[in-house]
Amino acid sequence: MRTKMGQGYELLLIKDREHGMYHQLNVKHSFGFLWSYRGGSVGMPIDSEVLLSFQGGGATIGKYLHYYYVGQLNDPQISRLQIRWYDGFQQEAEIKDGLYQAARTVRITKDDELQSGDDKLFAYDENGQLLYELDRERREIRSDTDKSE
């Protein structure tokens, strides 16, 4: 999966079946065919016991703040994921093969700094019923724990 971010930056989420991991990369696509690495996360294990996870981060590159969230979902009831960012902006996350991603870029103003304190992930079923809500304090729901915690 890839998500366009700002001035030519894209966020890639790679599922590594051989090693049972997934990876997030931030790259720049120059001249229509060259890719250059700009940063990313270390591999995160794929765990079938994780019903939903909420991992993310951000970076300042030039005059832009680049934010991303990635994670896995193994609850077949989940049909839609939505991120509510710290400033109230809402965005649908792309879901594919048990993983998801969402990314956004914000131009820096003189008062901006990298923020993520109030970001939330909402998981819905096909009828629009809220199944889970994750945030900075609660980043994961596991099948071996009580879902109502």
Side-chain angles (χ1 to χ4, degrees), residues 6 30 42 50 52 60 62 64 93 99 118 131-133:
S30 304
V42 296
V50 173
L52 182 63
T60 302
Y64 295 89
L99 300 174
D118 295 328
L131 298 173
Y132 308 109
E133 180 180 324

Side-chain angles (χ1 to χ4, degrees), residues 19-60:
H19 299 101
M21 304 185 88
Y22 64 100
H23 312 274
Q24 172 271 326
L25 301 172
N26 189 322
V27 298
K28 183 176 181 181
H29 193 195
S30 304
F31 306 114
F33 61 93
L34 296 175
W35 293 92
S36 57
Y37 178 71
R38 306 295 276 183
S41 67
V42 296
M44 293 168 272
I46 296 172
D47 183 349
S48 63
E49 296 296 313
V50 173
L51 296 176
L52 182 63
S53 66
F54 187 48
Q55 304 298 324
T60 302

Side-chain angles (χ1 to χ4, degrees), residues 77-93:
Q77 293 182 39
I78 297 173
S79 65
R80 185 172 70 90
L81 294 173
Q82 184 180 62
I83 306 287
R84 189 186 72 209
W85 298 90
Y86 69 94
D87 60 358
F89 180 75
Q90 295 183 23
Q91 178 183 24
E92 297 293 310

Side-chain angles (χ1 to χ4, degrees), residues 9-148:
Y9 294 95
E10 300 195 21
L11 182 72
L12 301 179
L13 183 66
I14 301 167
K15 189 169 183 176
D16 182 351
R17 287 184 174 84
E18 180 181 350
H19 299 101
M21 304 185 88
Y22 64 100
H23 312 274
Q24 172 271 326
L25 301 172
N26 189 322
V27 298
K28 183 176 181 181
H29 193 195
S30 304
F31 306 114
F33 61 93
L34 296 175
W35 293 92
S36 57
Y37 178 71
R38 306 295 276 183
S41 67
V42 296
M44 293 168 272
I46 296 172
D47 183 349
S48 63
E49 296 296 313
V50 173
L51 296 176
L52 182 63
S53 66
F54 187 48
Q55 304 298 324
T60 302
I61 302 173
K63 296 179 182 180
Y64 295 89
L65 300 173
H66 299 274
Y67 299 97
Y68 71 88
Y69 281 104
V70 297
Q72 56 188 308
L73 61 147
N74 291 300
D75 185 337
Q77 293 182 39
I78 297 173
S79 65
R80 185 172 70 90
L81 294 173
Q82 184 180 62
I83 306 287
R84 189 186 72 209
W85 298 90
Y86 69 94
D87 60 358
F89 180 75
Q90 295 183 23
Q91 178 183 24
E92 297 293 310
E94 181 181 358
I95 300 171
K96 185 176 180 182
D97 296 330
L99 300 174
Y100 75 88
Q101 72 172 0
R104 101 184 255 226
T105 299
V106 179
R107 186 172 174 84
I108 297 171
T109 64
K110 68 177 184 171
D111 299 323
D112 283 333
E113 59 184 60
L114 202 57
Q115 301 179 29
S116 64
D118 295 328
D119 297 345
K120 291 189 178 190
L121 174 68
F122 299 95
Y124 299 94
D125 67 12
E126 63 184 19
N127 298 316
Q129 179 73 31
L130 179 65
L131 298 173
Y132 308 109
E133 180 180 324
L134 296 178
D135 58 26
R136 197 173 175 154
E137 301 299 317
R138 185 174 186 206
R139 295 215 180 253
E140 185 175 271
I141 305 280
R142 297 183 62 81
S143 63
D144 53 2
T145 60
D146 183 0
K147 295 180 192 178
S148 63

